[in-house]
Amino acid sequence: MRRQFGWWVVLALASFLIFGSVPPALAKDVVASAGRTEKGAGITLEEAIMVAKRFVQVPDEYQNFQPGYCEGDEVFWELRWSSDNPEGGDVTARVNARTGELWGFTRWDPQPGKIRRGLPKLTRADAQEIACNFLKEALPGYFGNLQLVEDDSFPYISLRETATPSYNINFVRLQNGIPFRENSASVEVDANTGEILSFYFNWNSRLDFPKAEGVMEEERAKTLWRQNARVELIYVMQGGEDRKDATPRLVFAPGQGELMIDARTGEVLKPEDFYYGDLVGGAGGAESNAARRREAPLTPAEQAALDEMGKLIAKEKALDAARSLVGIPQGMELEGAELREEYFTGRKVWNFNWRNKKTEEGLNVRVDAVKGDVIGFRFFNPDPLQDKEPGYGEAQARKASKELLERVARGYLKELEELRVVPVPGRFPVVRSTGAPEDPRPVGFRVTARRLVKGIPFINDGVEIYYDACQGRITSYELTWSDGDFPEARGVIGREQAENVLLGRDNLTLSYCREFPTAYNTNADRPLRLVYTLDFRKAPAYVDAFSGTGLDYDFQPKDKSGQVFSDLNGLSGAGEIDLLVKARVIPVYEQKFHPQEQLIQRDFLIWLVRATGWPSAPAGTPEKEFEKAYRNALLMGILKPGEKYLPGEPLSRLTMARLAVRAIGWEEAAQLSGIWSLPGSVKGLPQEDTGYVALASGLGLLDLTGKDVDLGAGLSRSDGALAIYRLLK
């Protein structure tokens, strides 16, 4: 039986909660008392400090020391060193007080000399070797049962921002030679210096693992996976978070890719369908104001906006649609009306807000300002935690949803799948008078249907409805419908080929996993199973329906172990181009790079902008990606307002020099007059461009040797890519 803490331990822990540390005078008593519990500490605070200092270098200026004590599944001494300087860094360490082992630390050292721009000096292989050597020394009893996780992700790089690039090297626990991913180790390595910046480790030694006996053959597991994963042909929107830059793409993807197959019985385990919470409606965008007369002539952009406004429906017509199609409850008064352009979709939307001043219940209705369709509404209840018992079931939810869609979305019904109804669990299990707990009735139902385009599901579009089973009414509705050019499904690969790409040679792996959570059993200690499951760290998220290429979540090639582009073999600079692909600087839109073709202004600006910071998911097409890059280039000063830039024209060496120097923030230096000189081979150059050319030459981007240097000449695509690489170096 667990012995109770003495009052002095309570005082010590209370002091830790209030002051962030355990007073030294009480630390010994904490250890002594904790040592008498079942999970008690086995080492003193002083011993924990010595353990931490074996592996963590604490700078001399870190004179502040705050120890803490934490008891849960394990017992830990929490240690923190810091300096008096509020802008200084700190070191934290976590020592297992039961085993005397270091189980984690972080180091934050904001020294200006340790951060830099551009590509890292070390490779991932270098960082992996450093991480392995550290774990061998810090955790010798565990290292033999840790497996390195394959990863080809690249550190954060930027032409502008100074940052400490780092590699995260991850390991998973092996039990009986089989991975158990719940227990793991992670080591963060500085990609320039090789220093270890942080380390995390967790291990549960009290688990009962099923024996690895009587396991079915992998081919049998693959057959079961094919039969149950529901790999299907779908349209999905490619282009990141902003739909204005997105385009539909045709891919294969598994509908139940996360399923598990019991490795001994063949039982197929799937996540239970349940949903927590209400659907969140609403809209974003900029506020709209009535157009005012101006004496100054309108710009083309202003005139275009006015022309577009003339195509929108009037507020009164939109309001009539909201009232007739949704039905406004009695007692609600209209409090506001706004015309907005939604940020992510660019769609013009009328927003109407009603409120009942007595009950404080609110209602928001959104009407498409072009088509006049109600595209969303939501009731807002000031007291959502009602005590009312659910009195309505799935049949009522389905019936009410069908009636709503007939009323507000009649024109879309032919392009919707069958409705899918998922229960929303009650908050707590119900205990009846017999004393036996039972699952409560659902408090609501989430009703969804995907859009069908030419008979193929489009997973980004469709309807979402929330039916409140306590009130017996629909409280939210959302219609998402995109415009776009959907590729025809002609010449697509077969489903079996897509399944082969998803499964790969070894993507279906044997591992220990916990059973899926259910609505009323989300506990972390669910039973363990020995299962086959798809390892999505290796398996692609999608398969391109035409080429059969495995794609990651950002629609870039998943496998980057070799050369991504098929036409770089034997090319000088192929390795540098591959590295830029891995760093997400060069987005991949086709299987060939065309290295000797002339570089156009569109592609160079895309690469340059993506090299200035963390690259977002590429837009659906190079044209859309250029639009995004052009907007960002104007914001960063890489391009100037009114400056002529023609995306389809060849990029000249002079333009490349200007853009590159601006991208790294050296424009002010380039514009200083009288300090730059160029060799005689450079002729006819305007004085204002001398600094750009001199700096580009110094950076290794331009070769000014030779008789006559033609700065108006173009570059090949490989030359442009190598210029970006040198800029990052």
Side-chain angles (χ1 to χ4, degrees):
M1 181 176 178
R2 183 183 296 276
R3 300 183 63 175
Q4 300 297 314
F5 282 133
W7 66 268
W8 59 89
V9 179
V10 175
L11 177 61
L13 294 178
S15 174
F16 172 61
L17 292 173
I18 296 171
F19 300 108
S21 63
V22 178
L26 295 176
K28 185 177 179 181
D29 291 332
V30 173
V31 177
S33 178
R36 294 196 299 269
T37 66
E38 293 175 4
K39 300 179 182 178
I43 64 170
T44 65
L45 173 60
E46 182 178 359
E47 290 169 330
I49 294 171
M50 294 301 104
V51 169
K53 284 192 167 184
R54 278 185 56 203
F55 304 102
V56 186
Q57 183 177 359
V58 180
D60 293 337
E61 60 268 24
Y62 289 5
Q63 292 298 309
N64 295 329
F65 177 62
Q66 294 172 297
Y69 178 76
C70 174
E71 186 173 294
D73 291 337
E74 286 286 355
V75 185
F76 291 100
W77 282 111
E78 307 275 4
L79 315 175
R80 180 175 183 267
W81 292 265
S82 61
S83 69
D84 290 326
N85 183 355
E87 297 182 359
D90 67 5
V91 171
T92 64
R94 200 171 202 226
V95 178
N96 189 311
R98 182 177 60 84
T99 66
E101 298 160 333
L102 181 70
W103 276 32
F105 79 82
T106 62
R107 183 206 315 272
W108 180 58
D109 185 8
Q111 293 183 24
K114 289 193 174 183
I115 54 181
R116 62 187 289 273
R117 296 182 178 92
L119 295 169
K121 295 180 179 179
L122 303 180
T123 65
R124 175 167 286 275
D126 297 330
Q128 288 173 348
E129 183 179 357
I130 292 168
C132 288
N133 290 337
F134 171 78
L135 291 177
K136 286 177 185 176
E137 186 177 358
L139 299 170
Y142 302 89
F143 182 75
N145 291 314
L146 288 173
Q147 181 184 64
L148 179 68
V149 175
E150 295 179 18
D151 188 2
D152 63 357
S153 61
F154 206 78
Y156 172 75
I157 60 172
S158 173
L159 285 171
R160 290 201 159 193
E161 298 176 28
T162 53
T164 303
S166 62
Y167 292 102
N168 285 296
I169 311 300
N170 299 305
F171 303 79
V172 296
R173 175 180 180 177
L174 289 179
Q175 185 70 28
N176 303 322
I178 298 168
F180 177 54
R181 296 183 180 87
E182 189 174 299
N183 289 170
S184 60
S186 178
V187 182
E188 182 186 9
V189 180
D190 187 306
N192 289 322
T193 67
E195 292 179 277
I196 295 176
L197 303 175
S198 67
F199 154 63
Y200 170 80
F201 176 70
N202 77 309
W203 193 279
N204 189 337
S205 57
R206 298 176 296 278
L207 295 175
D208 184 17
F209 289 89
K211 293 182 180 180
E213 300 173 351
V215 175
M216 71 172 66
E217 293 293 328
E218 183 180 339
E219 287 305 312
R220 171 62 180 154
K222 285 184 176 180
T223 300
L224 289 171
W225 188 90
R226 292 174 190 273
Q227 293 170 352
N228 292 275
R230 292 195 297 107
V231 175
E232 59 181 343
L233 184 66
I234 60 172
Y235 287 107
V236 63
M237 195 67 87
Q238 176 184 350
E241 66 285 350
D242 194 336
R243 281 204 173 198
K244 294 191 292 290
D245 298 321
T247 55
R249 184 159 182 172
L250 197 56
V251 298
F252 282 93
Q256 286 278 4
E258 68 273 33
L259 64 79
M260 300 187 297
I261 300 165
D262 190 292
R264 290 186 289 186
T265 67
E267 179 186 0
V268 178
L269 308 170
K270 299 179 181 179
E272 182 178 305
D273 258 349
F274 61 90
Y275 177 82
Y276 281 113
D278 195 354
L279 295 178
V280 179
E287 295 184 1
S288 172
N289 296 312
R292 298 181 175 89
R293 293 194 178 190
R294 305 167 189 260
E295 295 182 3
L298 296 174
T299 67
E302 292 166 344
Q303 185 62 56
L306 286 177
D307 293 342
E308 186 177 3
M309 289 287 289
K311 301 174 185 177
L312 306 182
I313 64 173
K315 183 188 79 171
E316 290 71 19
K317 186 174 180 180
L319 192 55
D320 288 343
R323 285 173 171 150
S324 62
L325 296 176
V326 178
I328 312 303
Q330 284 189 338
M332 282 198 169
E333 299 178 10
L334 183 65
E335 288 200 328
E338 295 178 315
L339 179 62
R340 296 180 174 181
E341 178 180 308
E342 293 182 330
Y343 178 76
F344 290 117
T345 65
R347 180 170 53 185
K348 302 291 192 303
V349 174
W350 279 108
N351 270 267
F352 300 106
N353 293 290
W354 284 266
R355 184 169 67 94
N356 187 315
K357 294 182 179 179
K358 290 184 179 180
T359 65
E360 290 300 317
E361 183 181 35
L363 169 64
N364 170 261
V365 181
R366 298 162 56 239
V367 178
D368 188 305
V370 175
K371 300 177 181 179
D373 299 324
V374 172
I375 56 175
F377 68 80
R378 187 183 183 198
F379 287 91
F380 297 90
N381 194 320
D383 184 22
L385 299 177
Q386 303 175 16
D387 296 328
K388 190 176 180 180
E389 275 285 310
Y392 302 86
E394 180 179 336
Q396 288 98 331
R398 188 180 295 275
K399 180 174 182 291
S401 298
K402 285 184 176 180
E403 291 173 351
L404 173 69
L405 292 174
E406 283 284 351
R407 193 167 68 249
V408 303
R410 182 184 296 272
Y412 302 92
L413 291 179
K414 292 182 180 179
E415 295 183 63
L416 287 175
E417 285 185 323
E418 283 294 317
L419 294 181
R420 181 168 175 264
V421 183
V422 176
V424 176
R427 293 173 183 85
F428 306 102
V430 176
V431 180
R432 300 301 181 191
S433 57
T434 59
E438 63 181 62
D439 292 349
R441 286 172 293 178
V443 297
F445 295 90
R446 179 177 182 249
V447 184
T448 61
R450 298 184 300 182
R451 176 184 177 183
L452 293 174
V453 179
K454 306 166 187 175
I456 299 171
F458 179 31
I459 65 172
N460 298 98
D461 280 4
V463 295
E464 292 188 67
I465 298 169
Y466 184 81
Y467 179 85
D468 190 309
C470 299
Q471 302 181 54
R473 66 169 179 168
I474 290 171
T475 56
S476 70
Y477 162 74
E478 183 74 20
L479 170 72
T480 305
W481 214 265
S482 307
D483 296 323
D485 295 325
F486 292 84
E488 294 287 342
R490 287 196 295 265
V492 300
I493 64 173
R495 189 178 73 170
E496 183 177 354
Q497 183 179 343
E499 291 170 345
N500 291 339
V501 175
L502 289 163
L503 290 168
R505 291 191 302 272
D506 56 356
N507 293 343
L508 193 68
T509 58
L510 192 64
S511 60
Y512 286 109
C513 296
R514 295 192 185 274
E515 292 182 357
F516 287 115
T518 62
Y520 301 103
N521 180 18
T522 58
N523 296 331
D525 58 351
R526 298 184 306 279
L528 284 170
R529 293 257 199 152
L530 180 59
V531 298
Y532 281 101
T533 185
L534 197 65
D535 185 352
F536 275 105
R537 289 172 300 186
K538 296 190 297 182
Y542 309 107
V543 178
D544 185 273
F546 299 100
S547 69
T549 302
L551 305 172
D552 215 336
Y553 290 100
D554 61 356
F555 298 93
Q556 296 298 284
K558 177 72 174 182
D559 183 10
K560 299 186 183 67
S561 56
Q563 288 184 356
V564 175
F565 293 112
S566 61
D567 56 352
L568 297 183
N569 291 329
L571 179 77
S572 175
E576 288 83 350
I577 294 172
D578 272 333
L579 188 145
L580 293 177
V581 172
K582 291 178 180 178
R584 298 299 203 263
V585 170
I586 297 180
V588 179
Y589 287 102
E590 57 175 299
Q591 293 180 308
K592 291 187 176 182
F593 184 69
H594 308 288
Q596 302 307 326
E597 287 188 5
Q598 198 164 43
L599 177 63
I600 59 175
Q601 297 181 30
R602 179 196 71 185
D603 294 339
F604 185 77
L605 190 69
I606 289 172
W607 304 343
L608 188 63
V609 169
R610 293 180 68 83
T612 57
W614 197 281
S616 60
T621 64
E623 291 74 24
K624 290 285 188 180
E625 181 68 11
F626 171 76
E627 291 175 11
K628 185 168 63 173
Y630 186 83
R631 294 195 298 268
N632 289 327
L634 286 172
L635 290 173
M636 292 185 288
I638 297 174
L639 291 177
K640 304 299 181 182
E643 187 173 35
K644 190 175 181 180
Y645 197 78
L646 303 174
E649 293 297 312
L651 179 80
S652 72
R653 296 172 186 271
L654 178 57
T655 300
M656 183 266 289
R658 285 199 203 103
L659 300 186
V661 169
R662 290 173 184 171
I664 60 176
W666 288 5
E667 183 177 33
E668 285 190 22
Q671 292 178 338
L672 294 175
S673 60
I675 67 169
W676 305 109
S677 62
L678 296 173
S681 57
V682 180
K683 299 175 182 178
L685 184 68
Q687 182 63 35
E688 61 268 20
D689 287 326
T690 304
Y692 293 108
V693 173
L695 288 169
S697 174
L699 291 165
L701 309 184
L702 290 176
D703 182 5
L704 302 183
T705 60
K707 291 183 178 180
D708 292 305
V709 176
D710 184 4
L711 294 174
L715 301 91
S716 68
R717 286 174 56 82
S718 62
D719 287 340
L722 290 175
I724 298 285
Y725 176 82
R726 295 187 188 103
L727 201 58
L728 284 165
K729 288 293 283 185

